[in-house]
Amino acid sequence: MILPIVAYGDPVLRKVADDIDKDFPRFEELVANMWDTMYNANGVGLAAPQIGLPIRLFLVDTTPFADDEELTEEEQNALKGFRKVFINAKIEEETGTEWAFNEGCLSIPDVREDVSRKDTITISYMDENFKSYKETYDGLLARVIQHEYDHIEGILFTDKLSSLKKRLLKGRLANISKGKIKVEYRMRFPNIKKAR
């Protein structure tokens, strides 16, 4: 089932999300709905806060990036078919050189900006079967995971921009929260005035 994506300005996007366990109600259905929602919006990642749930759950499918001809064959192969569920994730370490990449977010449609992030991460998490892992990722894989991880920490990519960029985007962000934007997927806007 395709769920509405929560727009910029909703307080749920600012909460540090809570851990969950395998008794979380209708968990398998929730994950299936999140995949449907993400693919419907042509996203490469989706975090539970983006569908209104302040829980430490996000998913990533970097396959669309695998077609980028500017990437090395090794990078393309790493991105192709990388499809994972991350539960109760914790980034243990971020290392390497900071590099900029143009990011966007399904909760902030039509806004894309260059964001600097460290190249390599080590992350511990559980998969959809609540099996534990600790893995290291780099490059674009690390970046997509960092972006989604920020969501469960109550952080948006726009928080990482310069104060000048933030000021320039203020009006557009306000319009997004009021629903004054055209989107191709279902959204829930926090500041739409209810008709009396």
Side-chain angles (χ1 to χ4, degrees):
M1 184 172 81
I2 292 164
L3 306 168
I5 292 173
V6 171
Y8 179 90
D10 193 300
V12 74
L13 296 175
R14 293 304 186 180
K15 287 194 169 103
V16 175
D18 297 319
D19 281 352
I20 57 168
D21 60 30
K22 56 181 172 297
D23 298 326
F24 192 84
R26 295 162 66 181
F27 179 74
E28 284 174 25
E29 184 185 339
L30 169 63
V31 171
N33 290 344
M34 284 179 67
W35 285 121
D36 288 349
T37 302
M38 184 187 90
Y39 290 130
N40 178 66
N42 296 316
V44 292
L46 185 70
Q50 293 182 276
I51 55 157
L53 292 174
I55 57 172
R56 295 185 80 81
L57 165 65
F58 64 87
L59 28 104
V60 164
D61 184 347
T62 58
T63 306
F65 284 135
D67 298 332
D68 187 337
E69 286 162 11
E70 288 179 17
L71 299 172
T72 66
E73 191 178 334
E74 187 185 2
E75 286 173 311
Q76 287 178 328
N77 289 337
L79 295 163
K80 194 177 294 159
F82 183 89
R83 185 177 187 271
K84 270 187 194 287
V85 174
F86 291 81
I87 299 164
N88 300 343
K90 173 112 184 67
I91 289 184
E92 306 285 350
E93 191 178 31
E94 292 180 298
T95 55
T97 315
E98 285 215 351
W99 61 295
F101 185 81
N102 196 259
E103 292 188 24
C105 179
L106 296 177
S107 292
I108 313 174
D110 289 346
V111 173
R112 297 195 64 85
E113 292 292 340
D114 284 350
V115 177
S116 286
R117 296 183 189 272
K118 294 244 170 123
D119 175 65
T120 306
I121 60 164
T122 300
I123 187 168
S124 54
Y125 68 97
M126 289 185 274
D127 67 10
E128 62 272 33
N129 302 310
F130 289 85
K131 186 174 170 217
S132 294
Y133 297 86
K134 185 174 178 179
E135 294 171 339
T136 300
Y137 297 104
D138 61 10
L140 216 39
L141 275 183
R143 175 168 297 268
V144 174
I145 293 166
Q146 285 164 313
H147 178 107
E148 297 310 322
Y149 180 82
D150 279 352
H151 276 299
I152 64 172
E153 291 290 325
I155 299 166
L156 298 171
F157 84 94
T158 48
D159 299 342
K160 299 187 177 288
L161 304 175
S162 70
S163 47
L164 173 64
K165 276 266 162 62
K166 287 179 191 164
R167 278 201 303 277
L168 293 172
L169 286 173
K170 202 172 177 181
R172 285 171 70 191
L173 295 174
N175 282 342
I176 290 169
S177 70
K178 292 175 191 148
K180 293 182 179 172
I181 186 159
K182 277 197 167 22
V183 267
E184 300 294 313
Y185 49 88
R186 285 180 65 202
M187 286 196 83
R188 191 178 90 204
F189 301 98
N191 296 329
I192 284 189
K193 296 276 185 276
K194 303 275 189 278
R196 289 177 190 267

